[in-house]
C-alpha cells in the first residue's frame, strides 16, 4: 500500500533527514514529512549553513580591509556589497537544501510535503491525508526563545533568522545573549561595520564552556571591538522612530540603565518545537523543560513513537541530532546504534574559533575528580605565526590517575577542525600521552594540540 511506511519521520532537519536516509539504507520504506518549502530544517535554511556563509564573507571583507596589508598585500578602496553577500548566502543555502532533495531521491525516501500530526500510534496525518507507519519519529527541532515584553518584529527587534537577513548594516547592534549564535552573528555585523554590544545575564560569555577559555575569548572579542555588559539582564525593549530603547538591569539586582540601539538581536536560546503535532492527544510525555521524554533508545512512553534532535534532551547541535538519527534508524533495524554523549564537540565559528569536547575544568572540580592540565599557546606555534593568527591556546584535561583525556578546549585558529582529533582520541579512550606520542605534521596548528598533550605531563618542547 502506497500510504503505509515502515518509518515516518516528522521534520527534515539534520536529525530527521539523516534518520530517514539511514533507515532507507537499511532497507526500510521511509517517508519524511516537512512543512517548510525546502528540506534541511533550521540548520540548512536558517541556522548553521547561512550563518557560516555570512561568517566567511564578513571575514573576507575584514581581511581585505584590515589584515592583508600586514602580509604586504595592498588593496585599495575595499567596499561592501551587502546585497551580493546576502545573495551568495542564499545560493549556498539553496545548493545545500537541493542536495538533501537529491539524497532523498537517491535513497528512495518519500518527502510528504505539509504539516504532520500524529493522529494515533501508527498513524500520521499530513495536511489531512492519513498515512500509516510501524515507527513514527518526531524530529521537529526547535525555535528561537523570546522574552516576555520584547516583541520580535524581525526588523528592529530580531531573532537569529532576522539576524541572517538584514539588508543594511546597523549603526549599533545590541545582542541579547552571549552564546554561540549571538557571538557569531555579532561578529558578522561588527566586521561589516556595526558597533556591537553584547548583554549577557551571566558573568561570562559562552557560560557552559570552560571558564578560562571563556575569559580568554571575551578578551579577544573585546580587542576586536565588541563591547560586553556581563551580569546584566534585559528588562524592556521599545521600538521608537528608527531605533530601539532598551532597559537593562544587573542580574543580581541594582539600578536600571537605558541603552539605545538601531537593531536588537534576541539570542537567548532555543526551545523544543512540539506545537501542533498531537503529542498531548496521543499521550507522549514531555519533561520539565518541554522536551519530548525518551529512553536510551529514543523511544517515548508511547510504543512506536520515537524522538531525536533538538526536540529531546541534550545539546542543541546539528551533529548531535544527526548521530541520534543514525542510531535510532539502526535500533529500528534491529542493530546496535550508539551515541557517546561524552564526546560531542561544540564549536563557535567566530575568529578565532572556540571548540570544546568533554568536561570543563569547573565540571571536574565540582565532581571532585583529580585531573592534570596541559596548555599550549598559539603564540608558540610556527604555523600560527606564519598565518598571523596567534590568539588563543589549547587546554587539555586528563585523569590524574590514568592520564585518560577528559576534556579538550581550544580558542584559536581553526579550533573547530582541531577538535576533531581530540574527539576521536576521547572516543577511543586515549590518554594525553597517546596524543603526545602521535606524529603531527610540521608546521601545522595541530602541533599545538600535541604540545598541550605533552604539557599534561609537564614536558612541552616548544615553550
Ligand atoms: C543561527 C543558528 C546557527 C546555528 N549554528 C549551528 C552550528 O554551527 N552547528 C551546529 O551544530 N548547530 C547549529 N545550530 C543548531 C542547529 O541548527 C540545530 O541543532 C539543528 O538544526 C537541530 O536539528 P533537528 O533536526 O533536531 O531540527 P531542525 O533543524 O529544527 O528541523 C526540524 C524541522 O521540522 C520541521 N517541522 C516542525 N514541525 C513540523 C510538522 N508538524 N510537520 C512537518 N514538519 C515540521 C521544521 O520545519 C524543521 O524544518 C544553529 C542554529 C541557529 C538558529
Amino acid at each position: 500500500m502506497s500510504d503505509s511506511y515502515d518509518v515516518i519521520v516528522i521534520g527534515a532537519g539534520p536529525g530527521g533527514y539523516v534518520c530517514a536516509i539511514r533507515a532507507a539504507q537499511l532497507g526500510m520504506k521511509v517517508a519524511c514529512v516537512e512543512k517548510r518549502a525546502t528540506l534541511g530544517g533550521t540548520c540548512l535554511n536558517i541556522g548553521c549553513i547561512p550563518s557560516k556563509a555570512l561568517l566567511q564573507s564578513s571575514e573576507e571583507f575584514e581581511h581585505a580591509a584590515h589584515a592583508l596589508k600586514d602580509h604586504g598585500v595592498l588593496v585599495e578602496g575595499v567596499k561592501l556589497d551587502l546585497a551580493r553577500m546576502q545573495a551568495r548566502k542564499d545560493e549556498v543555502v539553496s545548493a545545500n537544501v537541493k542536495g538533501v532533495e537529491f539524497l532523498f531521491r537517491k535513497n528512495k525516501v518519500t518527502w510528504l510535503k505539509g504539516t504532520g500530526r500524529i493522529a494515533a500510534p501508527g498513524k500520521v496525518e499530513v495536511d489531512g491525508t492519513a498515512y500509516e507507519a510501524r515507527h513514527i519519529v518526531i524530529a521537529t527541532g526547535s525555535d528561537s526563545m523570546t522574552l516576555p515584553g520584547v516583541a520580535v518584529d524581525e526588523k528592529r527587534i530580531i531573532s537569529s533568522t532576522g539576524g541572517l537577513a538584514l539588508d543594511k548594516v546597523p549603526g549599533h547592534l545590541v545582542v541579547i545573549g552571549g552564546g554561540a549564535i549571538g557571538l557569531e552573528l555579532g561578529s558578522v555585523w561588527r566586521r561589516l561595520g556595526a558597533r556591537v554590544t553584547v548583554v549577557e545575564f551571566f558573568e561570562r560569555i559562552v557560560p557552559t564552556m570552560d571558564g578560562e577559555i571563556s575569559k580568554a575569548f571575551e578578551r579577544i572579542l573585546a580587542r576586536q571591538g565588541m563591547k560586553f555588559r556581563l551580569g546584566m539582564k534585559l528588562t524592556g525593549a521599545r521600538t521608537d522612530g528608527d531605533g530601539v530603547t532598551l532597559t537593562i538591569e544587573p542580574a543580581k539586582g541594582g539600578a536600571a540603565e537605558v541603552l539605545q540601539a538601531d537593531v536588537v538581536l534576541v539570542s537567548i536560546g532555543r526551545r523544543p518545537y512540539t506545537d501542533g503535532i498531537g503529542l498531548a492527544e496521543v499521550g507522549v510525555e514531555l519533561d520539565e523543560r518541554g522536551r519530548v521524554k525518551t529512553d536510551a533508545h529514543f523511544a517515548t512512553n508511547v510504543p512506536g513513537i520515537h524522538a531525536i534532535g533538538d526536540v529531546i534532551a541534550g545539546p542543541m547541535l546539528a551533529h548531535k541530532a544527526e548521530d541520534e538519527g543514525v542510531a535510532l534508524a539502526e535500533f529500528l533495524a534491529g542493530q546496535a546504534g550508539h551515541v557517546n554523549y561524552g564526546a560531542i564537540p561544540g564549536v563557535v565559528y567566530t575568529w578565532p574559533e572556540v571548540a570544546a569536547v568533554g568536561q570543563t575544568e569547573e565540571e571536574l572540580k565540582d565532581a571532585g575528580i583529580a585531573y592534570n592540565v596541559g596548555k599550549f599557546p598559539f603564540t608558540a606555534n610556527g604555523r600560527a605565526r606564519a598565518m598571523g593568527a596567534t590568539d588563543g591556546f589549547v587546554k587539555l584535561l586528563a585523569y590524574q590517575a590514568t592520564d585518560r583525556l577528559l576534556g579538550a578546549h581550544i580558542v584559536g585558529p581553526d579550533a573547530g577542525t582541531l577538535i576533531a582529533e581530540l574527539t576521536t582520541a576521547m572516543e577511543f579512550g586515549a590518554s594525553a600521552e597517546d596524543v603526545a606520542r602521535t606524529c603531527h605534521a610540521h608546521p601545522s596548528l595541530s602541533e599545538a594540540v600535541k604540545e598541550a598533550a605533552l604539557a599534561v605531563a609537564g614536558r612541552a618542547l616548544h615553550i
Side-chain angles (χ1 to χ4, degrees):
M1 246 167 59
S2 65
D3 59 353
S4 171
Y5 293 88
D6 294 316
V7 183
I8 295 185
V9 183
I10 306 178
Y17 85 72
V18 167
C19 181
I21 291 172
R22 184 71 187 124
Q25 281 179 345
L26 291 167
M28 289 180 257
K29 184 180 172 197
V30 185
C32 185
V33 192
E34 176 54 58
K35 62 181 179 178
R36 205 185 285 274
T38 48
L39 300 172
T42 303
C43 176
L44 270 60
N45 290 280
I46 51 164
C48 324
I49 297 302
S51 58
K52 267 78 253 178
L54 287 183
L55 278 157
Q56 188 65 39
S57 297
S58 59
E59 201 176 301
E60 307 286 0
F61 175 70
E62 189 167 54
H63 274 203
H66 304 293
L68 288 183
K69 61 177 179 297
D70 241 24
H71 293 263
V73 181
L74 301 181
V75 187
E76 303 262 311
V78 176
K79 282 201 293 211
L80 173 66
D81 180 351
L82 182 56
R84 174 64 206 132
M85 199 177 276
Q86 289 287 20
R88 177 187 175 277
K89 173 207 73 185
D90 293 340
E91 288 159 18
V92 171
V93 168
S94 169
N96 275 275
V97 298
K98 283 190 188 130
V100 180
E101 261 190 70
F102 161 78
L103 292 173
F104 271 14
R105 280 195 302 275
K106 180 181 165 203
N107 290 283
K108 302 194 172 38
V109 173
T110 305
W111 174 6
L112 300 174
K113 297 185 185 182
T115 303
R117 191 180 68 84
I118 305 174
K123 290 196 175 26
V124 173
E125 270 178 24
V126 182
D127 293 344
T129 306
Y131 298 89
E132 289 189 0
R134 271 198 307 133
H135 308 286
I136 296 171
V137 180
I138 303 164
T140 48
S142 62
D143 200 0
S144 305
M145 280 202 307
T146 48
L147 279 166
V150 181
V152 170
D153 59 14
E154 296 297 11
K155 288 194 172 65
R156 297 272 153 210
I157 303 181
I158 59 176
S159 69
S160 58
T161 305
L164 292 165
L166 294 176
D167 57 7
K168 194 169 148 238
V169 179
H172 185 203
L173 172 70
V174 173
V175 178
I176 310 297
I181 295 175
L183 296 174
E184 288 183 1
L185 288 175
S187 287
V188 165
W189 296 106
R190 183 201 58 71
R191 292 166 183 169
L192 300 182
R195 201 152 57 81
V196 175
T197 305
V198 177
V199 177
E200 166 57 51
F201 183 87
F202 291 102
E203 291 295 337
R204 61 186 182 92
I205 57 170
V206 285
T208 55
M209 290 189 131
D210 186 272
E212 199 178 357
I213 293 280
S214 139
K215 273 288 153 211
F217 184 35
E218 181 198 327
R219 276 196 300 273
I220 296 168
L221 292 179
R223 226 186 304 131
Q224 294 173 357
M226 226 180 243
K227 295 261 179 306
F228 293 100
R229 301 302 313 273
L230 303 178
M232 299 294 280
K233 63 178 180 193
L234 180 72
T235 51
R238 189 168 34 86
T239 30
D240 40 21
D242 276 352
V244 189
T245 304
L246 300 168
T247 340
I248 58 170
E249 270 176 38
K252 291 182 182 145
E257 281 178 49
V258 171
L259 279 184
Q260 240 12 85
D262 296 290
V263 173
V264 178
L265 167 65
V266 182
S267 55
I268 51 162
R270 297 182 62 79
R271 65 167 184 99
Y273 188 80
T274 53
D275 304 357
I277 36 175
L279 298 189
E281 293 85 335
V282 288
V284 170
E285 277 178 32
L286 304 183
D287 69 11
E288 68 297 341
R289 290 166 63 181
R291 302 171 297 198
V292 177
K293 227 171 163 172
T294 54
D295 66 11
H297 286 197
F298 310 106
T300 70
N301 60 308
V302 178
I305 303 182
H306 310 261
I308 52 168
D310 277 11
V311 80
I312 69 167
M316 286 183 164
L317 292 169
H319 41 284
K320 175 261 193 189
E322 288 187 41
D323 284 6
E324 288 178 342
V326 168
L328 173 57
E330 292 175 354
F331 286 136
L332 297 181
Q335 298 187 354
H338 177 66
V339 178
N340 177 2
Y341 290 97
I344 295 180
V347 181
V348 188
Y349 294 86
T350 43
W351 183 266
E353 292 178 349
V354 184
V357 62
Q359 288 166 284
T360 63
E361 194 163 355
E362 289 75 20
E363 285 167 343
L364 294 180
K365 278 194 181 128
D366 286 351
I369 296 171
Y371 58 91
N372 287 327
V373 187
K375 283 188 267 185
F376 192 80
F378 285 101
T379 41
N381 174 272
R383 184 70 193 279
R385 281 186 175 282
M387 290 167 70
T390 52
D391 277 339
F393 59 96
V394 180
K395 172 175 177 177
L396 301 184
L397 301 162
Y399 258 127
Q400 209 165 69
T402 64
D403 195 38
R404 183 160 69 83
L405 280 172
L406 295 171
H409 307 274
I410 308 175
V411 53
D414 279 343
T417 305
L418 295 175
I419 205 72
E421 172 189 0
L422 293 159
T423 308
T424 307
M426 286 179 59
E427 192 67 55
F428 281 79
S431 64
E433 188 182 353
D434 289 327
V435 175
R437 288 191 183 276
T438 302
C439 190
H440 288 70
H442 175 77
S444 71
L445 295 171
S446 69
E447 287 174 294
V449 170
K450 175 184 171 130
E451 290 279 353
L454 284 166
V456 170
R459 45 173 293 231
L461 290 162
H462 288 89
I463 195 155

